[in-house]
Amino acid sequence: MATIKDVANKANLSVATVSRYLNDHPYISEDKKQRIKAAMEELDYTPSSIATQLRSKKGNMIGILVSRITNPFFSYLVDAIEKEAKKNHYNVLIMQTYDNKKSEMNMLELLKQQVIAGLIMCSVEGNPETIASYQEFGPIVLCNEQTSEALIPTVVTDQKQAVYDAMLYLADKGYQKIAYCTGGTLANEGHGRSRTEGFEQALLEKQLPIKRNWIFRQVHTSQDGAEVADKILHLPRLNRPDAVFTNSDEVAMGIMERMLQKKYQVPKDLAIMGFDNQPTTSLLTVPLTTIAQPVAALGSESTKLLLAKIKDGAYEVDQAHLKLTLIKRKSA
Amino acid sequence: MATIKDVANKANLSVATVSRYLNDHPYISEDKKQRIKAAMEELDYTPSSIATQLRSKKGNMIGILVSRITNPFFSYLVDAIEKEAKKNHYNVLIMQTYDNKKSEMNMLELLKQQVIAGLIMCSVEGNPETIASYQEFGPIVLCNEQTSEALIPTVVTDQKQAVYDAMLYLADKGYQKIAYCTGGTLANEGHGRSRTEGFEQALLEKQLPIKRNWIFRQVHTSQDGAEVADKILHLPRLNRPDAVFTNSDEVAMGIMERMLQKKYQVPKDLAIMGFDNQPTTSLLTVPLTTIAQPVAALGSESTKLLLAKIKDGAYEVDQAHLKLTLIKRKSA
DNA sequence: CTGAAAGCGCTAACAC
DNA sequence: GTGTTAGCGCTTTCAG
């Protein structure tokens, strides 16, 4: 591998001049520029970004933390972040936490070591104070996540409002007995909580019942969804919900699949609403009514915010593009 | 940020000793080990992997090149690679090519710069010779891709055999008029070509017709699939295929959706076979018969091979785990 | 405009 | 066992 020194020798100049050329320094005479350029090409020279990083403390890599990349929500997020990063000549280092604090700490250490110049956390496991303390080593942005206090810059959507609107949509369609699925325990924090607030507020305002056995907690997979369907079908006919809001398309698909399999009709016997607008939801026999998250905008805004902070600049997040949208299809 | 020098000072030792401690060098007296450890903790010291990399030429990051991470096949691949890498204390740098040669070259440059210690290419755009030439700077492994000549180590499955077996399965079920969808042009290279070979060989052996208007080229999306369905339905009834093999689940779903929508039955009116076994294919009204690729094994074997090469070791790829599987469901 | 020289934080001979 | 020292490839004063 050719080094800057080789280039300098070949061009009969000092390394300093070559370095200046590399960094677009003003005031280099045109002929020397040409000599340097020629030498570089002849030697097939590529500057070592490792050396540059050690010396100048300026890297061009950012970290992305997700819980699992195979979840389409995250892969679309990563897609958006990678695109925006690339546009600004940054590379991305990805780490999956699998809900494990240890990986998160590893990533934070990479920030401390200056391997990454900044970090976008699309998933947070650890203690907010601890995480916030790492900001000393480089900027951190929370993407679609929130800590109780404003310790870390955040890019989020208004999930409460979205669910509130979705409930009003169901109510306006005449549904009166609305069941609710959550991934959490109902009482917990995070977007689970904001969604629940939207649900509760809407039902209260519309004076619709919130019944204990229409609430399903800790449901995550399509398998869980199938079980929810079973539970609903085991309820006495008059006591059954006529619609169900789910916290994810996977769960919604699980419920729908089981209903259809048992020869019930959707939405006639049970309206189903998903969350996420995953790629295949429009391809189902009964296309799924769901809530689309502005994934691309979440990714690009987070990245823009982070890059601004890396350059000590400011960036005003564009909330207008961060709206959730109700996707009305056939299932509800 | 504390440096190795600070630690050495605090522990009243030389940087060399501290460095030895860091690298698990033998022969350091126990008491000094303790002193170093204490000093490190007190200073909250973390070694700079940038400096280590510059000096020792040994990094712990590998690159992954994919065309688009939002394609589930790739996100599952990345998942497997990331897991295996993490197990060996390697981090992953991801880049999407979006079928663009430029990004591929950028990644190759990162290898040249020693930013990454090795590269797994799950997608190749450029000229094989050019790519192969970069092996001078670090190992490269092709994952689920192949170049005409054996220029680069490769981890692949036998797609020809899989499609051959799938066609036999269809034939045994009594299907005689089999249509075929490919993403390419039929004549092109890559796995498209191997699959086509399997298709052709099976039909020849079974003496089944291969008809020009039952072959569909350049189909990629579910939208393309819907169009294929339309084309099939426009054929005179007697001239219609009774089964269709597709190159991807997306296409298969598009075909199925359109058939169902037009009140045709699957598989009665048209049997449909997908490729990839994507997450939601089992949740469709007519669950999709498809071919599952051993994604996790492809990812982990590629990674093991790459890491072995990084350490100048050898690794025998475990072909037994690289089998494609026919997933028999309802659609064919 | 250009060059000499001092490091960035760490490793690896080489001495003792 | 441990310390001294010379760099890895680059940027950046400080002098010309």
Side-chain angles (χ1 to χ4, degrees):
Chain A
M1 273 292 304
T3 75
I4 198 175
K5 209 170 164 183
D6 300 327
V7 175
N9 285 150
K10 181 139 239 147
N12 254 306
L13 289 165
S14 71
V15 292
T17 309
V18 179
S19 172
R20 286 189 186 100
Y21 174 87
L22 248 25
N23 296 283
D24 295 316
H25 209 83
Y27 314 133
I28 311 182
S29 60
E30 201 49 47
D31 68 314
K32 310 219 157 138
K33 276 190 191 167
Q34 293 312 321
R35 268 158 60 196
I36 294 175
K37 204 173 158 210
M40 284 183 175
E41 272 170 18
E42 209 169 324
L43 294 166
D44 189 24
Y45 169 77
T46 314
S48 152
S49 67
I50 297 293
T52 310
Q53 227 169 306
L54 176 59
R55 181 61 231 233
S56 69
K57 303 285 170 212
K58 283 183 178 71
N60 67 314
M61 187 139 55
I62 62 175
I64 310 178
L65 209 48
V66 297
S67 60
R68 11 170 94 58
I69 189 89
T70 52
N71 177 328
F73 175 73
F74 289 118
S75 67
Y76 277 86
L77 209 45
V78 167
D79 174 60
I81 296 173
E82 198 263 355
K83 277 184 191 155
E84 186 65 38
K86 182 180 285 168
K87 208 183 287 175
N88 293 278
H89 306 289
Y90 274 79
N91 293 127
V92 302
L93 171 57
I94 293 207
M95 191 126 91
Q96 307 192 84
T97 64
Y98 269 81
D99 306 327
N100 177 200
K101 229 186 255 189
K102 205 177 139 217
S103 294
E104 188 172 283
M105 285 310 292
N106 285 342
M107 190 60 128
L108 257 5
E109 283 299 313
L110 293 181
L111 186 62
K112 185 169 169 188
Q113 292 177 29
Q114 307 290 4
V115 170
I116 53 177
L119 172 59
I120 296 178
M121 299 180 69
C122 309
S123 147
V124 352
E125 296 300 324
N127 169 298
E129 272 83 27
T130 314
I131 297 170
S133 74
Y134 275 83
Q135 291 179 105
E136 162 191 358
F137 307 113
I140 298 176
V141 166
L142 260 36
C143 175
N144 205 41
E145 288 282 347
Q146 229 162 347
T147 52
S148 37
E149 281 151 83
L151 298 166
I152 307 169
T154 293
V155 176
V156 278
T157 57
D158 191 345
Q159 310 229 359
K160 177 181 170 182
Q161 183 68 43
V163 174
Y164 176 87
D165 292 344
M167 292 307 112
L168 257 39
Y169 164 82
L170 287 180
D172 286 352
K173 277 212 148 186
Y175 297 104
Q176 309 221 350
K177 309 191 286 183
I178 305 176
Y180 184 82
C181 297
T182 175
T185 57
L186 251 216
N188 67 337
E189 296 177 9
H191 18 79
R193 184 67 217 146
S194 348
R195 293 181 194 175
T196 301
E197 282 169 10
F199 167 75
E200 286 171 342
Q201 186 181 325
L203 266 62
L204 239 57
E205 285 181 18
K206 286 283 175 182
Q207 303 195 327
L208 260 25
I210 300 184
K211 296 189 58 167
R212 173 180 296 265
N213 46 11
W214 294 352
I215 305 278
F216 302 92
R217 295 150 217 257
Q218 315 257 45
V219 291
H220 297 102
T221 65
S222 63
Q223 182 53 41
D224 293 343
E227 284 163 22
V228 165
D230 286 340
K231 281 182 197 155
I232 288 178
L233 293 174
H234 270 95
L235 256 26
R237 186 171 290 274
L238 284 174
N239 221 335
R240 280 186 206 155
D242 52 11
V244 57
F245 169 88
T246 68
N247 54 313
S248 88
D249 286 344
E250 266 186 283
V251 170
M253 284 189 262
I255 296 178
M256 189 189 293
E257 188 46 29
R258 180 59 52 94
M259 293 299 291
L260 262 28
Q261 184 186 310
K262 296 215 167 169
K263 304 300 177 196
Y264 286 87
Q265 289 182 41
V266 176
K268 192 165 155 279
D269 296 317
L270 182 73
I272 303 174
M273 186 176 277
F275 204 107
D276 263 0
N277 191 31
Q278 293 197 357
T280 55
T281 49
S282 62
L283 297 176
L284 302 172
T285 327
V286 182
L288 192 65
T289 293
T290 188
I291 295 172
Q293 305 203 56
V295 208
L298 274 169
S300 63
E301 289 300 308
S302 302
T303 312
K304 284 176 186 164
L305 178 58
L306 186 77
L307 295 182
K309 288 189 178 293
I310 287 176
K311 292 163 192 146
D312 290 317
Y315 177 74
E316 187 71 28
V317 172
D318 180 3
Q319 285 295 337
H321 288 146
L322 290 174
K323 301 272 181 243
L324 293 113
T325 348
L326 181 60
I327 309 286
K328 298 168 189 171
R329 292 196 279 243
K330 305 277 187 214
S331 76
Chain B
M1 273 293 303
T3 74
I4 199 176
K5 209 169 164 185
D6 300 327
V7 176
N9 286 150
K10 180 137 241 147
N12 256 307
L13 290 163
S14 72
V15 291
T17 310
V18 179
S19 173
R20 287 189 186 101
Y21 173 86
L22 249 23
N23 295 285
D24 295 317
H25 209 81
Y27 314 133
I28 312 181
S29 60
E30 201 48 49
D31 68 317
K32 310 221 157 139
K33 275 190 192 168
Q34 292 314 319
R35 267 156 62 196
I36 294 174
K37 203 172 161 212
M40 284 184 174
E41 272 171 16
E42 208 170 325
L43 293 166
D44 190 23
Y45 169 78
T46 313
S48 152
S49 66
I50 298 294
T52 310
Q53 225 170 309
L54 175 59
R55 181 59 232 234
S56 69
K57 302 283 170 216
K58 284 183 179 71
N60 66 315
M61 187 139 56
I62 62 174
I64 310 178
L65 209 47
V66 297
S67 62
R68 10 169 95 57
I69 188 91
T70 51
N71 177 328
F73 176 73
F74 290 118
S75 66
Y76 277 87
L77 209 46
V78 167
D79 174 60
I81 296 172
E82 198 263 354
K83 277 183 193 154
E84 186 66 38
K86 181 180 285 169
K87 209 184 287 177
N88 293 278
H89 306 289
Y90 275 79
N91 292 127
V92 302
L93 172 57
I94 293 206
M95 190 126 89
Q96 308 191 83
T97 64
Y98 269 81
D99 307 327
N100 178 200
K101 227 186 254 187
K102 207 180 136 214
S103 294
E104 188 173 282
M105 286 309 293
N106 285 341
M107 190 61 128
L108 257 6
E109 284 299 314
L110 293 182
L111 186 61
K112 185 168 169 190
Q113 294 175 29
Q114 308 288 1
V115 171
I116 52 176
L119 173 59
I120 297 179
M121 299 180 70
C122 309
S123 147
V124 354
E125 295 301 323
N127 169 297
E129 272 83 27
T130 314
I131 297 171
S133 74
Y134 275 83
Q135 291 178 104
E136 161 189 359
F137 308 114
I140 298 176
V141 167
L142 261 36
C143 175
N144 205 42
E145 288 281 347
Q146 229 162 345
T147 53
S148 36
E149 283 152 84
L151 299 166
I152 306 169
T154 292
V155 176
V156 277
T157 56
D158 191 345
Q159 311 230 358
K160 177 180 170 183
Q161 183 68 43
V163 174
Y164 175 86
D165 292 344
M167 292 307 112
L168 257 39
Y169 164 82
L170 286 180
D172 287 352
K173 278 212 146 186
Y175 296 104
Q176 309 222 353
K177 309 191 286 183
I178 305 177
Y180 184 81
C181 297
T182 174
T185 58
L186 250 215
N188 66 337
E189 297 177 8
H191 20 77
R193 183 68 218 147
S194 351
R195 293 182 194 175
T196 301
E197 283 168 9
F199 166 75
E200 286 170 342
Q201 187 181 324
L203 266 63
L204 239 58
E205 286 181 17
K206 286 283 173 180
Q207 305 195 325
L208 260 23
I210 299 186
K211 297 190 57 168
R212 173 179 296 266
N213 47 12
W214 293 352
I215 305 278
F216 302 92
R217 295 149 216 258
Q218 315 258 43
V219 290
H220 297 102
T221 64
S222 62
Q223 181 53 40
D224 293 342
E227 285 164 20
V228 166
D230 287 340
K231 282 182 195 154
I232 288 178
L233 293 173
H234 270 96
L235 257 27
R237 185 171 292 275
L238 284 174
N239 220 335
R240 280 186 206 157
D242 53 11
V244 57
F245 169 87
T246 68
N247 54 314
S248 87
D249 287 342
E250 265 187 283
V251 171
M253 284 190 263
I255 297 178
M256 190 189 294
E257 186 47 28
R258 180 58 54 93
M259 293 299 290
L260 261 27
Q261 182 186 311
K262 296 214 168 170
K263 303 299 176 198
Y264 287 88
Q265 288 180 42
V266 176
K268 192 165 156 277
D269 297 317
L270 183 72
I272 303 174
M273 187 177 276
F275 204 106
D276 263 2
N277 191 30
Q278 292 197 358
T280 55
T281 50
S282 62
L283 296 177
L284 302 172
T285 326
V286 182
L288 193 67
T289 292
T290 188
I291 295 173
Q293 305 203 56
V295 208
L298 274 169
S300 63
E301 290 299 307
S302 303
T303 312
K304 285 176 186 165
L305 179 58
L306 185 77
L307 295 182
K309 291 192 175 289
I310 288 176
K311 292 163 191 147
D312 290 317
Y315 177 75
E316 187 70 28
V317 172
D318 178 5
Q319 285 295 338
H321 288 146
L322 290 174
K323 301 272 180 242
L324 292 113
T325 347
L326 181 60
I327 308 286
K328 299 169 189 170
R329 291 197 278 243
K330 305 277 186 211
S331 75

